[in-house]
Amino acid sequence: MTLTTSPEKGIRGEILTFKADPFLLPCEECYDHYTDGLVVIRDGLITDVGEYADVKERHPGLNDIDTYTDSVIMAGFVDCHVHYVQSPMIGSYGDTLLDWLRQYAFPTEARYRDKEFADSVARIFFRQLLMNGTTTANVFSTTFQESVDALFEESERYNTRMISGKVLQDRNLPDYLSDRSAGESVEISEHLLHKWHGRGRQLYAVIPRFAPTSTPEQLRLAGELYQRYIDKGVYMHTHLDESEDEIKWVASLFPDARNYTDVYSRYGLVDRRSVFAHCCIVSADEWQTLHDRDCAVAHCPSSNLFLGDGEFRYREAKDITRPCRLGVATDVGGGTNFSIIRQLGEAYKVAMLHGHTIDAMRSYYLATLGGAQALHLDDRIGSLRAGNEADITVLDLKCNEFVDWRMQYARDLSEKLFVLQTLGPDRVVRATYVAGRKIYDRDREEPFSYAATDK
Ligand code: GUN
Ligand code: ZN
C-alpha cells in the first residue's frame, strides 16, 4: 500500500534565497539567484528548487504552477521580536521607553484577561504579518494565559510557525498587570509550555519581560524552567540594553551584577536559545558573553528610533572575532509598522548614523535566513531549499505606478530590493505561502484564508 500524498505544486518566477551569512563570508557565496526559477512543493515541504528548465524536467507531471512575473520569490520573513498585544497602541504619541510603558503599554496589556479581546487582536495581528510577508515571529504576549492561547490558536488556523509564551512580570508594574506570585507565574508558564510547545508548528518561550519587572525570585524560577526545557527546543526571550535610563535602573536594582547581561546570566537565562531584543548600548564584555553563549540579538530599528532608545551597532553584533546570531524585528507597538522590509530601510539609516552601510543582500539575509538562524530554525525555514517548510513570500516589483517606473533605473536585483526597502511601499507583498498553502493573496477578493479552508 502506498501512502497518499498531496499532488506537487510549483511556484515560478525570479527567486532569491540565502544559504550562508554574508556578514561572515563573501556575499556572492551566500545566496542563489534564479532569474526564471521554480520551487516545487509537496505536503507543505519544498522538494526541489532551481532554474525552471532544470527543475521542470525533473518533475514532468507538475502542472499546478503559480507563475509570478516582475516579482521576487523569497523565503517568508522572520520577525524576531514583536508584541502582538501592543497592536492596539501602535503609534501612541510621546515619551521615552519607561514612561511610554507606563502610559500606554501597561494599560493596554491589562485588557488581555478578556479572551474575546485577545482573539480579536490576534486576528488582526496575523493579517498584518501575512500581508507583510512575515511567516514566523517571536512574539510577546502578556501576563494572562488568555493572551497566549489567543495567539497560538490563531497561528494554528494559519498553520504558521510561531514562538510565544506567557510574559513573566511580578514587580514595578501596576497590580492589574502583575503576576500574583513568582511561583504561580512560572507554574502557569510551564502549564502553557506543555500545552503548546511542539503542537503542530507552535514553539514555546520562557519570557521574563525585562530585568526591572521581575523579582530575583521570578528570574531564578524562570531560569530553572528554561534550563529544564532547553534541550527540548524551548526558548528564552527578553529585552536587553535598550536605553540609558533602563540600563541605569537595572544597575540600581541589581547592584552586584557586573552589567545588564550579567543579571540574566546569574539566573541561567543567558544560553544558546536566548533571544535578546534591542541591544543598543552593549559593552564589549557583554558582546563577548552573548557570543560565547551563542545567543541571538533582535535588532528593532523603527522602535529604537521612535522611542529614542539608542543606536544599534551591527558592526559590533557581527564583529568577525565574536559574531552573534542576528535578526531584525518590528517590536510593535514600539515599532511603527509590521513590515520587515521597512525595518531593513530603517536599519540602513541607523547604520548610516555610525558611518556604515548595509547592502540589500545583507539586509534581506537578515530578514530571512538570519532571522531563522537567530531562532535556531534554519534547518526548517529561512531559505528555499529541498526539505524546508514551504513558507514563501512573493514581492511585487511593480506594486504601484511609481515603483514600476523607478525600477527601470535599477540595474540589478540588489538595486531593486534596496529601492523596495527604502520606499517601503504598501501592498508590495503579492502573495504569502505558509507550509505550501497560499494563505494570503493580495489580489484575491478575500485575501486571507485559513489553512483548513484553503484548497
Ligand atoms: N522593555 C520592557 N518592555 C518593553 C516593551 O514592551 N517594549 C519595548 N520596546 N521595550 C520594553
Ligand atoms: Zn519589545
Side-chain angles (χ1 to χ4, degrees):
M1 228 180 67
T2 50
L3 286 172
T4 42
T5 56
S6 63
E8 283 184 330
K9 174 169 187 66
I11 305 176
R12 180 180 181 179
E14 184 166 5
I15 292 173
L16 176 69
T17 180
F18 292 89
K19 53 192 179 186
D21 183 345
F23 289 92
L24 305 180
L25 293 172
C27 197
E28 326 71 72
E29 294 172 20
C30 295
Y31 63 86
D32 288 321
H33 176 208
Y34 308 106
T35 47
D36 179 13
L38 179 64
V39 185
V40 184
I41 299 163
R42 191 195 280 275
D43 293 331
L45 300 179
I46 296 171
T47 58
D48 206 350
V49 189
E51 284 297 351
Y52 175 80
D54 303 337
V55 177
K56 185 68 179 73
E57 202 173 281
R58 293 196 284 270
H59 302 266
L62 171 62
N63 294 313
D64 177 10
I65 301 178
D66 296 345
T67 300
Y68 295 97
T69 52
D70 302 308
S71 300
V72 188
I73 299 163
M74 302 178 72
F77 297 134
V78 179
D79 187 338
C80 288
H81 174 74
V82 56
H83 303 248
Y84 98 87
V85 290
Q86 293 178 6
S87 304
M89 45 148 301
I90 188 171
S92 292
Y93 170 74
D95 249 320
T96 49
L97 175 64
L98 301 177
D99 287 323
W100 173 89
L101 285 173
R102 289 177 198 122
Q103 264 203 79
Y104 300 112
F106 294 154
T108 303
E109 292 186 26
R111 300 191 60 182
Y112 291 83
R113 278 179 198 283
D114 175 353
K115 178 67 168 31
E116 266 179 43
F117 181 71
D119 288 337
S120 69
V121 178
R123 182 167 178 279
I124 198 84
F125 171 75
F126 272 87
R127 289 163 77 101
Q128 280 297 308
L129 292 191
L130 296 168
M131 70 185 291
N132 283 291
T134 299
T135 49
T136 286
N138 189 27
V139 187
F140 259 59
S141 58
T142 188
T143 314
F144 314 109
Q145 299 192 47
E146 290 79 0
S147 69
V148 181
D149 286 336
L151 187 282
F152 280 133
E153 283 166 13
E154 188 70 353
S155 181
E156 275 198 333
R157 290 184 197 109
Y158 285 112
N159 195 24
T160 38
R161 190 169 274 296
M162 292 284 149
I163 306 170
S164 192
K166 176 187 146 44
V167 174
L168 299 164
Q169 40 193 357
D170 68 344
R171 70 162 163 174
N172 291 326
L173 76 167
D175 281 351
Y176 57 70
L177 194 60
S178 181
D179 287 312
R180 282 196 300 245
S181 79
E184 187 195 52
S185 69
V186 176
E187 272 170 30
I188 296 170
S189 189
E190 186 165 7
H191 161 76
L192 290 165
L193 184 160
H194 286 298
K195 181 170 180 184
W196 288 110
H197 186 65
R199 175 163 147 180
R201 302 185 77 198
Q202 314 314 317
L203 297 166
Y204 197 79
V206 177
I207 312 182
R209 182 181 203 115
F210 67 156
T213 46
S214 284
T215 54
E217 175 68 354
Q218 191 177 49
L219 292 175
R220 186 179 68 75
L221 293 172
E224 285 175 10
L225 181 66
Y226 176 42
Q227 291 299 331
R228 278 205 298 285
Y229 291 95
I230 192 169
D231 289 338
K232 300 229 165 9
V234 166
Y235 298 85
M236 198 292 298
H237 183 191
T238 191
H239 297 89
L240 175 65
D241 285 335
E242 181 175 356
S243 76
E244 294 284 2
D245 288 350
E246 172 213 23
I247 294 168
K248 279 190 203 139
W249 193 20
V250 171
S252 72
L253 291 169
F254 299 91
D256 298 336
R258 282 203 324 279
N259 51 48
Y260 196 162
T261 304
D262 187 45
V263 173
Y264 293 131
S265 185
R266 286 164 180 232
Y267 299 106
L269 294 163
V270 181
D271 211 327
R272 62 189 185 283
R273 299 181 77 84
S274 304
V275 183
F276 294 100
H278 301 294
C279 298
C280 299
I281 307 160
V282 185
S283 65
D285 185 33
E286 291 178 280
W287 281 123
Q288 188 66 49
T289 304
L290 295 175
H291 164 81
D292 291 344
R293 308 272 179 89
D294 197 17
C295 299
V297 170
H299 174 27
C300 312
S302 78
S303 174
N304 296 156
L305 292 167
F306 184 69
L307 294 172
D309 289 331
E311 291 146 23
F312 181 78
R313 294 164 188 251
Y314 84 87
R315 287 275 183 120
E316 295 186 358
K318 282 295 185 188
D319 182 334
I320 200 109
T321 65
R322 46 153 176 70
C324 292
R325 294 170 186 263
L326 176 63
V328 283
T330 61
D331 190 33
V332 165
T336 52
N337 58 73
F338 291 88
S339 163
I340 287 294
I341 293 183
R342 289 184 186 159
Q343 303 311 310
L344 302 179
E346 300 304 292
Y348 177 83
K349 295 173 202 165
V350 171
M352 285 296 269
L353 290 173
H354 294 281
H356 302 303
T357 58
I358 310 178
D359 63 33
M361 288 303 176
R362 288 182 180 81
S363 297
Y364 285 80
Y365 154 79
L366 290 176
T368 55
L369 182 59
Q373 288 171 332
L375 302 178
H376 296 260
L377 292 173
D378 47 309
D379 58 340
R380 302 173 211 188
I381 60 161
S383 58
L384 305 181
R385 58 157 199 202
N388 270 16
E389 296 164 356
D391 291 350
I392 296 169
T393 184
V394 183
L395 307 183
D396 184 357
L397 296 170
K398 295 191 168 181
C399 58
N400 65 42
E401 183 189 55
F402 181 75
V403 169
D404 182 2
W405 177 85
R406 169 66 180 86
M407 286 302 174
Q408 68 185 308
Y409 302 106
R411 288 167 300 185
D412 57 22
L413 179 61
S414 177
E415 288 193 5
K416 289 175 188 172
L417 290 174
F418 192 75
V419 169
L420 288 189
Q421 74 176 58
T422 305
L423 301 189
D426 279 348
R427 296 171 60 79
V428 65
V429 172
R430 212 163 146 179
T432 303
Y433 294 77
V434 167
R437 289 168 192 271
K438 189 170 11 170
I439 44 109
Y440 171 72
D441 181 339
R442 183 193 64 190
D443 302 324
R444 209 160 46 191
E445 196 182 341
E446 171 47 60
F448 301 92
S449 62
Y450 287 138
T453 56
D454 184 49
K455 292 176 269 35

